[in-house]
Amino acid sequence: MTAPTPALNNSALSSEARNLHWLLTNLVEEVPGLLSVAVVSSDGLLLLSSDPGRNTETPSEHSGGPKGSSADLATIVSGVGSLTIGAAKLMDGGGVKQTMVAMEEGSLFVMSISDGSLLGVHATPDCDMSVIAYHMALFVGRAGHVLTPELRSELRQSMESTR
């Protein structure tokens, strides 16, 4: 399955930005059951997204992601991340590594990236949670060290230019 990504002029992006896009596409293509994926900055802005589930559904089927928008997933991921960080502080629990919400019709996973950014995944109800968590951890490990302020700014600008 090929994951749609925002229409970008890849030649205008830095090699780090192209690598992050590649990592996201690779995550989506390798992990079955993903409906929507978003990388959100620490201030809640969408940096990267992909909505693979929308490619294979017919119009009468569920849209796959929250209300059909990557921006909606980014908002949810940012809110859940903020809530769990606050809860961890109140409980003296240390840093939040991962949050998982199991719903009747799907699952939501949120994982912290080293710079305060978050990786969020909306998955099908029958997904293999351990496989998703493993691949998310790989993405975070590979992406965390390159998400500099300059790269976050470049990714925000590229997302804004595709709207």
Side-chain angles (χ1 to χ4, degrees):
M1 169 185 347
T2 301
T5 54
L8 298 172
N9 180 0
N10 278 341
S11 63
L13 295 176
S14 67
S15 63
E16 291 87 2
R18 287 191 308 270
N19 285 342
L20 281 178
H21 280 277
W22 179 85
L23 283 173
L24 183 72
T25 300
N26 197 37
L27 172 70
V28 168
E29 289 177 349
E30 285 188 10
V31 183
L34 298 187
L35 296 171
S36 188
V37 179
V39 175
V40 182
S41 68
S42 58
D43 53 357
L45 297 174
L46 181 63
L47 299 177
L48 289 171
S49 72
S50 182
D51 299 309
R54 295 182 214 301
N55 235 12
T56 58
E57 294 171 334
T58 61
S60 63
E61 292 179 309
H62 182 262
S63 67
K67 300 298 181 198
S69 165
S70 297
D72 290 341
L73 179 61
T75 301
I76 293 165
V77 167
S78 181
V80 167
S82 180
L83 180 64
T84 56
I85 289 168
K89 284 180 184 175
L90 284 173
M91 297 175 184
D92 293 326
V96 176
K97 295 179 181 177
Q98 181 177 359
T99 304
M100 192 278 217
V101 179
M103 303 168 280
E104 288 180 12
E105 298 299 323
S107 297
L108 173 68
F109 302 84
V110 179
M111 192 172 283
S112 299
I113 300 177
S114 63
D115 70 334
S117 297
L118 300 167
L119 172 63
V121 170
H122 179 210
T124 60
D126 60 344
C127 70
D128 186 332
M129 294 179 193
S130 62
V131 169
I132 290 177
Y134 172 77
H135 283 276
M136 287 178 72
L138 287 178
F139 180 92
V140 165
R142 293 172 180 154
H145 68 282
V146 298
L147 269 175
T148 62
E150 295 81 16
L151 183 56
R152 287 192 305 271
S153 178
E154 178 183 358
L155 292 169
R156 278 188 212 127
Q157 290 173 359
S158 72
M159 290 298 290
E160 289 172 5
S161 71
T162 60
R163 290 182 187 162

